[in-house]
């Protein structure tokens, strides 16, 4: 291990041992070139964590090019400018920098971990990846092969099939309705020109948010961001339209040879900026988000032994919102598990929750929140996520008060308005028994568009 690698390893180790912070001093920074960012200075260790997010993500795939943004993102560290894949990796290693890229439905993520000593050189290397990726034929084919292998594996995973079937029902032809990884056919047909177009569609200055935590000043961060981003296109592709989930009550089955049925269920949900979001967040904690203390876990697992686990979760995406859940049960008892979930969903909608349940949920949610701020890298990730959600910098300080302000009447009202047993759709992948009235759904083979 080189001395720089030793230094980076020591910095990361120290970061993991930092004490929890009672407050996070967030500065808002605007670079000379007009790039906005949030900064938390911490000069105790010569290290900075930088996070960039580009809104739009894989939802910006061009028509007929599903999977292009996903494949492009995987190739960003496979060579840039005059550095091929091996040369780029060697340059990164010599700087003891960590660069990573990821993409989802709504955003493309760029994460960098850089030592102060080599920060400028690491930023220059990252700039090459963002602005001059090579997309060499050999790298494209190697990474394409990895993606295709993953798609073939997904086609045999009932959990993946259930999620995708639910998304297709909920979102139809919207980008959310198809897997952002693409299909065997669509990925196999992608060209280098498609990858370049995908890069220009999403890596643009008009949709970037940024955060940094560590050994860097506001002036230094502004200069670094201009270095990284000035050469990117000013604007990217138009954002997709909003979509209302097309979900009605009922059960959809997908035949799959497995002894255990995988069940994904859901209804339309609440947007992140809704005034009642905190009440819904707490309600979900009680209903199915609170592990062994939740209503669904108590009724489905503890009382009847129908599943090892059942969970619910709010999914407020940029262009649609759902309230979902999942479980797995034996084929013989999946129908009973569905009945219990449906019954509990309706019961909470009609009756709300108890004062004791509300207090326990508040105690957990407020007590666990500070534990998230356990190092510079984690804080940088939280800050950039806050910006994606259009939250103000003082949210870190006010969030727990918003939780505490929710009353039992708020919970009961939101339960009655937002829990919709009449629109709760179940998707079951397996060979469940005695599911009366279920609608069969055929999932195309992995290679079909």
């Amino acid at each position: 291990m080189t001395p720089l690698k030793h230094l980076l390893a020591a910095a990361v180790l120290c970061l993991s041992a930092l004490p929890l912070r009672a407050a996070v001093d967030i500065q808002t920074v605007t670079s000379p070139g007009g790039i906005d960012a949030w900064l938390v200075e911490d000069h105790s260790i010569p290290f900075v964590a930088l996070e960039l997010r580009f809104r739009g993500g894989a939802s910006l795939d061009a028509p007929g090019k599903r999977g292009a943004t996903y494949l492009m993102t995987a190739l960003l560290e496979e060579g840039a400018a005059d550095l091929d894949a091996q040369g780029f990796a060697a340059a990164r290693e010599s700087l003891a920098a960590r660069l990573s890229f990821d993409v989802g439905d709504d955003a493309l993520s760029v994460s960098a971990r850089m030592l102060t000593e080599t920060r400028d050189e690491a930023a220059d290397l990252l700039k090459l990846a963002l602005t001059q990726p090579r997309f060499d034929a050999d790298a494209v084919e190697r990474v394409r092969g990895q993606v295709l292998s993953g798609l073939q594996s997904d086609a045999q995973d009932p959990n993946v099939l259930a999620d995708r079937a639910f998304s297709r029902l909920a979102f139809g032809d919207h980008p959310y309705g198809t897997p952002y990884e693409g299909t065997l056919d669509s990925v196999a047909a992608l060209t280098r020109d498609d990858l370049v177009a995908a890069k220009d569609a999403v890596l643009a200055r008009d949709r970037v948010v940024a955060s940094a935590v560590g050994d860097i000043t506001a002036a230094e961060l502004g200069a670094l961001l201009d270095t990284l981003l000035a050469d990117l296109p000013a604007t990217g592709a138009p954002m997709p339209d909003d979509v209302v989930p097309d979900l009605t009550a009922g059960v959809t089955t997908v035949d799959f040879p497995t002894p255990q049925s995988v069940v994904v269920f859901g209804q339309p949900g609440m947007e992140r900026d809704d005034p009642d979001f905190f009440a819904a967040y707490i309600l979900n904690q009680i209903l199915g988000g609170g592990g062994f203390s939740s209503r669904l876990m108590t009724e489905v697992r503890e009382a009847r032994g129908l599943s090892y686990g059942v969970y619910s979760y709010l999914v407020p995406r940029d262009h649609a919102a759902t309230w979902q859940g999942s479980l797995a049960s034996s084929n013989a008892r999946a129908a009973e598990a569905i009945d219990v979930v449906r019954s509990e969903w309706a019961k909470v909608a009609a009756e709300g929750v108890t004062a004791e349940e509300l207090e326990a949920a508040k105690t957990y949610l407020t007590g666990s929140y500070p534990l998230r701020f356990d190092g510079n890298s984690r804080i940088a990730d939280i800050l950039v996520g806050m910006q994606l959600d259009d939250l103000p910098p003082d949210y870190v300080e006010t969030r727990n008060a918003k939780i505490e302000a929710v009353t039992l009447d708020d919970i009961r009202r939101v339960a009655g308005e937002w829990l919709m047993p009449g629109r709760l759709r179940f998707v079951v992948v397996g060979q469940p028994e005695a599911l009366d009235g279920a609608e069969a759904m055929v999932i195309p083979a992995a290679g079909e568009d």
Side-chain angles (χ1 to χ4, degrees), residues 109-312:
S109 305
V110 179
S111 302
R113 308 292 179 259
M114 302 173 286
L115 296 169
T116 303
E117 179 181 347
T118 57
R119 186 177 65 216
D120 291 343
E121 294 90 341
D124 288 340
L125 185 64
L126 178 56
K127 177 181 179 179
L128 293 180
L130 296 176
T131 60
Q132 302 181 56
R134 289 167 62 110
F135 301 135
D136 289 332
D138 59 339
V140 170
E141 294 312 312
R142 173 167 45 80
V143 177
R144 191 200 310 268
Q146 295 168 358
V147 173
L148 294 174
S149 177
L151 290 172
Q152 290 171 329
S153 177
D154 288 345
Q156 302 303 316
D157 186 332
N159 295 284
V160 174
L161 294 178
D163 283 333
R164 291 183 176 174
F166 182 88
S167 295
R168 177 192 282 186
L169 284 173
F171 303 117
D173 293 334
H174 190 275
Y176 291 165
T178 56
Y180 59 76
E181 299 92 342
T183 66
L184 294 179
D185 282 348
S186 68
V187 173
L190 293 172
T191 66
R192 186 182 188 280
D193 287 345
D194 295 330
L195 301 178
V196 173
K199 181 189 81 69
D200 292 340
V202 66
L203 293 179
R205 296 196 307 275
D206 68 328
R207 72 265 328 269
V208 67
V209 297
S211 69
V213 179
D215 186 26
I216 191 169
T217 66
E220 291 168 338
L221 176 59
L224 184 148
L225 290 173
D226 282 348
T227 295
L228 282 176
L229 305 174
D231 292 342
L232 290 177
T235 59
M239 294 293 180
D241 294 332
D242 292 346
V243 59
V244 177
D246 185 15
L247 295 169
T248 57
V251 180
T252 299
T253 59
V254 177
D255 184 70
F256 190 81
T258 176
Q260 187 165 247
S261 290
V262 172
V263 182
V264 172
F265 53 92
Q267 60 156 72
M270 181 182 289
E271 301 289 347
R272 179 61 183 82
D273 60 358
D274 192 288
D276 284 324
F277 184 82
F278 280 100
Y281 184 61
I282 297 171
L283 175 60
N284 180 71
Q285 176 73 11
I286 297 167
L287 176 62
F292 286 99
S293 65
S294 75
R295 287 278 193 98
L296 291 179
M297 190 75 83
T298 298
E299 295 301 323
V300 174
R301 172 177 167 145
E302 300 302 318
R304 297 171 177 83
L306 299 173
S307 175
Y308 284 111
V310 54
Y311 307 94
S312 66

Side-chain angles (χ1 to χ4, degrees), residues 299-387:
E299 295 301 323
V300 174
R301 172 177 167 145
E302 300 302 318
R304 297 171 177 83
L306 299 173
S307 175
Y308 284 111
V310 54
Y311 307 94
S312 66
Y313 30 89
L314 298 170
V315 189
R317 300 182 181 182
D318 285 357
H319 304 286
T322 52
W323 199 330
Q324 293 181 216
S326 60
L327 63 90
S329 185
S330 68
N331 286 327
R333 305 194 72 187
E336 183 182 357
I338 290 171
D339 285 343
V340 173
V341 171
R342 187 186 287 118
S343 175
E344 199 62 28
W345 207 269
K347 180 180 179 181
V348 175
E351 301 175 4
V353 302
T354 67
E356 291 77 16
E357 288 175 317
L358 175 58
E359 187 60 32
K362 285 183 176 182
T363 298
Y364 173 79
L365 292 173
T366 56
S368 62
Y369 186 62
L371 302 179
R372 302 180 187 181
F373 297 83
D374 59 353
N376 288 10
S377 297
R378 181 63 178 135
I379 295 172
D381 187 64
I382 291 171
L383 297 190
V384 80
M386 288 169 56
Q387 293 174 77

